[in-house]
Amino acid sequence: MLTGIHFLLTYMCNLECDHCFVYSGPNSKGTFTLNQIRKVLDEATKIGTIKWIYFEGGEPFLFYPVMLEGIKIAHSMGFKIGVVTNAYYATSEEDAELWLSPLCELGISDLSISDDSFHYEEEKDNPAKRVLAAAKRLGIPVDSICIEKPTVGINNNRPKGEPVVKGGALLKGRAVEKLLEELPRRRYDEFIECPEEDLKNPKRVHVDPYGYVHLCQGLSMGNMWAIPLSKLVKNYDADSHPICGPLVRGGPALLAKEYNVGHEDKYVDACHFCYLVRLALLEKFPQYLAPRQVYGLE
Ligand code: SF4
């Protein structure tokens, strides 16, 4: 049962993190208009099971007035609101309070702040810590998201204490271009399931300004500007989706096999393998593997 709609309010971001799933950066195109936000929220109401609306990016605070108005409308429709931010605007705790006060007045239910070495080098005092402190003072429910650069560790659950990758970064999007070096790999035929997303029964989807409804970044249910979101969600059937079907039945290994995609013998993890197979299938399924910019392409 789908309970959350996450707006990728904009693909633009002031930062260009190595682990970014959607290849965001200062020059990334694609931002929701207010009118598009209204349309999505109307459709979210029709779905009937949506409880949460999130505003994310990119960096949603780059389009602050649009984000605030979107929150206001969503709140008035009875949804619970969450926001994800990298806190770039927090030059001091006092100033951070200025940015957060309107969100507080609108009664947001979750603020998630990216605070890790991808975003900030200084650990003791950085914009994320300032927003965290300001949010706590204002009484906003707040948490930080900490994803570390991948490191190699030993997992005793695997045979012969085989090395595993730790840190929490998922190897899709820009991470595949930037973070693979030196990481240990496993045989491709071990990756027989999607370990991260419930593709059969998704609990949340991300929607972007181009209309794509993402089940995983760059893996779309369809386009909500062509088919209304409530209809897309109602008609979604993982088994008959050309990409999700094979992923559900046998992970990236089956996806590659079903479409005869040539591949390496070893990959770091399932997402690494899946992302590269999807990249190879982009031209074949442009309506489901989109937008191209999420794959680092023009
Ligand atoms: S295996 Fe594929 S669909 Fe699943 S989370 Fe990883 S990249 Fe996404």
Side-chain angles (χ1 to χ4, degrees), residues 172 193-197 199 216 219 247 252 270-271 274-275 278:
K172 44 191 173 181
E193 61 180 10
C194 165
E196 299 292 333
E197 301 288 349
L199 298 172
C216 173
L219 171 54
L247 282 175
C271 295
C274 175
Y275 177 78
R278 289 197 271 128

